[in-house]
Amino acid sequence: ILGGYEAKPHLRPYMASLQLDGQHVCGGFLIAEQWVLSAAHCTEETDGRVFQVLLGAHSLREPEPHKRLYRVRAQIPHPGSNIHNNKDDLLLLQLEEKAELNAHVQVLPWQREDRDVAADTVCEVAGWGTISHSGRRPDKLYQVERPVISRDVCNHRTRHDGTITEKMMCTDSRKKDSCKGDSGGPLVCSGVAEGVVTAGSRVCGNYKKPAIYTRIAPYAAWIDGVMASAAG
Ligand SMILES: NCc1cccc(Nc2n[nH]c3ncnc(Nc4cccc(O)c4)c23)c1
């Protein structure tokens, strides 16, 4: 997160850190007791290894009472996701067991109504991604507020030049922005997850490249289907 600030500990109890060998790779969030939603691009450069999911954390390193690392039973990228574009950039992770819910570990409601969030709506994005252009990685969860910008503005030829589909949304990226390692985290508007951070052009903090999020509502049937089929 660039231009943000340290989050109040455990006020975002849905936040997940997707890790490999104890290293934070991507964000994610709890959408059901045994399911985390993240971004399919997070599995690139992992050469098929399975993540572990850290829940209940504020600090990545320090011991905290409700922090717990979960094994993943299955990683299911959206069938339409690929390495060449940002389309369908979603990843469902089934935990080996149901997460133990408490004040520090909670499910985040996600938007099922497929309607655009109005431009200028201020939403929040949080993560353990880089907090400087030099790539400094925080130990603690950071967050930043960002206004939604319209698809038309985001698709302007000087911005993302028509690549933003109706299954994506954008926020202003001037100075304050998501960045490397924040992919997979939720864009939260009025307490509801509306989008999932996707790296897009990978640029951070440049107003000419607004941040791109995969909208969740268009994928409700896929999410429900995967959770139902793997249940039990
Ligand atoms: N704001 C959009 C967004 C969301 C999520 C991730 C990303 N960026 C990145 N995703 N993956 C990456 N691998 C290497 N470098 C990257 N960006 C980077 C890193 C240091 C300085 C800087 O100015 C930009 C990214 C960008």
Side-chain angles (χ1 to χ4, degrees):
I1 300 282
L2 293 187
Y5 50 95
E6 186 179 330
K8 292 242 171 325
H10 312 298
L11 286 192
R12 296 172 188 284
Y14 47 79
M15 283 304 295
S17 164
L18 272 52
Q19 308 201 338
L20 286 178
D21 306 321
Q23 184 91 354
H24 171 84
V25 172
C26 267
F29 57 107
L30 207 60
I31 60 164
E33 287 182 278
Q34 204 161 351
W35 293 91
V36 167
L37 184 61
S38 183
H41 278 260
C42 292
T43 60
E44 286 168 20
E45 300 151 27
T46 61
D47 60 41
R49 285 183 297 164
V50 176
F51 287 114
Q52 288 187 308
V53 172
L54 182 67
L55 295 176
H58 178 59
S59 161
L60 291 175
R61 296 267 162 276
E62 291 163 19
E64 296 173 333
H66 299 275
K67 214 166 136 175
R68 198 172 140 191
L69 199 58
Y70 286 84
R71 293 194 180 294
V72 168
R73 178 179 298 171
Q75 276 178 189
I76 304 139
H78 188 281
S81 62
N82 62 80
I83 58 170
H84 305 293
N85 59 43
N86 308 313
K87 287 191 172 138
D88 304 330
D89 189 15
L90 294 178
L91 177 71
L92 276 167
L93 301 103
Q94 183 184 28
L95 304 178
E96 269 293 2
E97 59 182 297
K98 285 187 175 181
E100 190 184 331
L101 302 184
N102 54 54
H104 299 65
V105 179
Q106 282 296 319
V107 166
L108 176 62
W110 48 278
Q111 184 59 256
R112 288 174 171 277
E113 251 183 79
D114 189 353
R115 197 166 348 128
D116 281 334
V117 176
D120 300 331
T121 305
V122 176
C123 302
E124 308 161 329
V125 60
W128 288 275
T130 51
I131 55 174
S132 74
H133 281 285
S134 60
R136 189 169 132 66
R137 288 174 294 169
D139 173 57
K140 309 281 195 323
L141 184 67
Y142 271 65
Q143 72 178 62
V144 74
E145 282 71 38
R146 299 313 299 140
V148 171
I149 62 172
S150 75
R151 189 168 296 104
D152 285 352
V153 167
C154 201
N155 265 328
H156 191 270
R157 66 184 162 73
T158 60
R159 301 303 193 263
H160 288 298
D161 195 15
T163 62
I164 307 301
T165 69
E166 81 288 355
K167 295 195 228 179
M168 299 172 191
M169 65 187 288
C170 300
T171 61
D172 177 88
S173 51
R174 190 170 166 278
K175 292 195 176 26
K176 303 176 181 182
D177 195 8
S178 41
C179 198
K180 182 174 195 283
D182 292 320
S183 294
L187 180 70
V188 182
C189 314
S190 312
V192 176
E194 294 281 353
V196 176
V197 176
T198 187
S201 60
R202 293 190 159 190
V203 169
C204 307
N206 181 333
Y207 77 100
K208 294 240 167 178
K209 293 297 171 199
I212 307 170
Y213 303 81
T214 305
R215 292 181 58 239
I216 304 173
Y219 297 92
W222 175 70
I223 293 169
D224 288 338
V226 168
M227 293 199 294
S229 67

